[in-house]
Amino acid sequence: MDRRRFVTAAALGAGATLAACGPGPGHGRRNTGEVAEVDAPGIVTRPRIRWRLASSFPRSTEILYRAAEHLAARVGALTDGRFEIEPSEAGALVPPLQVLDAVQAGSVPIGHTASYYYLGKTPALTFETAVPFGMQARQHDAWIRHGGGRDLTQQVLDGFDVIGLLGGNTGTQMGGWFREPVRSLSDLQGLTMRIPGLGGRAMERLGVVAQTLAGGEIYGALERGAIDATEWVGPYDDEKMGFYRVVKTYHYPGWWEPAAALSFYVNRTAWEGLPSSYREALQSASDEVNATMLSEYDALNPAALASLLDKGVRTVPFPDDVMAAAATASRDLMDDAAAGDAQTRELLTSYRAFQSASDRWFGLAEWGMAKSKLR
């Protein structure tokens, strides 16, 4: 009887384990560069890997959190259950706004988050999520996939030893919940608002006191009066969060997030330690999550908006002077960030060039069609 040996190794990251088994030397093994494959029948050749995933989103934000569960289910199915990912909601493994830090450090091998939460590290990170007055979801996805956006954003992530994968998109967001309607630019002076990313910095230029709060902290802050306003996502998620119980004014549009793309971040060492087929499974699963999230929001937001209106919520457009001032502040903010950082400058140049061409086409076809329906 041939003697066989079993090899086990630990994968990087908290809660991650890897186990592989194969025969001894000289028994039909071929080296693929990741794991030993075996020709002998009945021998398991693919390793068993278990990872824990840290999410920035609470379980109560169903669609956002479900993205991690969706990824885990698809990766499991594509690897016959041998690559297991266990999602954990915001705060269960690491604080919700420290997911990137945890993945970078290797304390978790994978996380689900939004890059603009980490704007303080480098302004270049904002391009992966959203740019104020920037591209909508389809345009943003086209830039990432086919316009050079993925290569440029990955160059930024290389500095954090992280691999970025698509993690979903909410589409254009709402402008948020306000205790009192904003009737003019002067109404924003001294107003305290939960709003992260470059949108928050642009609001600060308009006189707002911007705060970055994790999803699970927002309702309590609004209810206590610690903040005067908040933005989150759109009708479906906002109704689930219960903001309408505290305030009734729902402003639009969310000019700071014409698209809101999320990301799965993978620790580079953990990524490189995966068999190539498992990396392909992660990539395919993230692509599926990305497409599914947007379509799910598009399907659920209309009914949620009708429900909010039935509850007495008032949808109110931002006044023209606010939109004009916000557009100016956003452009100046981006120009200032680009002037001080080479990566941001390269990203901004690419982003604006792609948006200019895309807006020309979308304005002719997509928005032209939309306008015709309003006649």
Side-chain angles (χ1 to χ4, degrees):
M1 178 181 297
D2 290 339
R3 298 185 61 189
R4 312 206 185 276
R5 62 187 179 90
F6 293 87
V7 180
T8 60
L12 287 178
T17 62
L18 180 153
C21 53
H27 290 277
R29 176 169 27 182
R30 58 185 183 276
N31 193 346
T32 67
E34 293 97 8
V35 289
E37 297 181 3
V38 183
D39 292 329
I43 300 300
V44 175
T45 63
R46 290 186 296 170
R48 184 174 297 279
I49 297 175
R50 296 180 182 89
W51 279 5
R52 297 191 71 182
L53 181 153
S55 175
S56 286
F57 310 106
R59 192 179 296 274
S60 58
T61 58
E62 296 176 1
I63 299 177
L64 296 175
Y65 181 72
R66 190 157 60 237
E69 296 179 321
H70 186 166
L71 181 87
R74 291 301 296 143
V75 167
L78 291 169
T79 62
D80 295 323
R82 301 199 67 77
F83 185 5
E84 301 176 55
I85 298 176
E86 180 184 349
S88 298
E89 67 175 322
L93 295 179
V94 299
L97 302 184
Q98 294 180 23
V99 169
L100 172 58
D101 305 79
V103 175
Q104 179 184 6
S107 55
V108 291
I110 186 170
H112 188 222
T113 190
S115 67
Y116 69 174
Y117 289 157
Y118 314 99
L119 189 59
K121 298 178 183 295
T122 170
L125 281 169
T126 194
F127 291 93
E128 202 176 26
T129 299
V131 173
F133 292 94
M135 292 186 277
Q136 295 181 355
R138 280 176 54 198
Q139 296 173 292
H140 181 91
D141 198 57
W143 174 67
I144 286 288
R145 292 176 180 273
H146 307 292
R150 171 44 71 206
D151 288 343
L152 291 172
T153 54
Q154 183 55 57
Q155 287 174 21
V156 178
L157 296 175
D158 285 344
F160 299 92
D161 291 325
V162 162
I163 301 296
L165 302 175
L166 298 173
N169 200 310
T170 69
T172 304
Q173 298 197 359
M174 286 291 282
W177 301 82
F178 291 72
R179 294 189 186 279
E180 300 293 337
V182 176
R183 297 183 175 87
S184 70
L185 187 59
S186 61
D187 289 340
L188 294 177
Q189 301 302 309
L191 183 144
T192 302
M193 181 179 184
R194 181 271 179 192
I195 174 170
L198 281 177
R201 294 190 179 183
M203 274 291 201
E204 288 177 337
R205 294 194 174 197
L206 305 185
V208 171
V209 179
Q211 295 187 6
T212 300
L213 298 176
E217 302 172 2
I218 301 173
Y219 182 87
L222 190 65
E223 186 178 41
R224 294 192 309 272
I227 55 176
D228 303 308
T230 185
E231 61 83 48
W232 181 232
V233 181
Y236 184 78
D237 280 336
D238 290 6
E239 185 178 31
K240 293 290 185 183
M241 295 286 273
F243 299 138
Y244 66 89
R245 299 189 185 98
V246 183
V247 296
K248 298 295 185 182
T249 299
Y250 201 17
H251 269 294
Y252 69 91
W255 48 263
W256 50 87
E257 290 180 272
L262 307 179
S263 303
F264 291 108
Y265 286 154
V266 184
N267 175 275
R268 178 177 291 279
T269 302
W271 171 265
E272 292 175 349
L274 290 174
S276 61
S277 61
Y278 288 15
R279 292 197 295 267
E280 286 294 325
L282 261 180
Q283 181 72 67
S284 296
S286 75
D287 286 345
E288 183 176 313
V289 166
N290 196 59
T292 300
M293 180 184 288
L294 183 60
S295 64
E296 191 169 8
Y297 272 116
D298 286 344
L300 295 175
N301 274 330
L305 177 60
S307 177
L308 288 171
L309 295 175
D310 287 344
K311 292 179 170 72
V313 171
R314 302 177 297 275
T315 56
V316 182
F318 283 121
D320 290 343
D321 64 340
V322 168
M323 293 298 289
T328 299
S330 297
R331 174 165 284 274
D332 290 347
L333 189 66
M334 296 302 299
D335 289 342
D336 291 346
D341 181 75
Q343 281 188 322
T344 301
R345 185 162 55 252
E346 186 177 14
L347 276 158
L348 182 60
T349 299
S350 171
Y351 189 97
R352 282 180 171 168
F354 194 93
Q355 182 178 0
S356 178
S358 183
D359 281 354
R360 193 177 305 122
W361 162 241
F362 270 62
L364 182 69
E366 302 284 339
W367 302 327
M369 187 66 220
K371 290 177 183 177
S372 73
K373 293 180 180 180
L374 300 177
R375 293 172 184 168

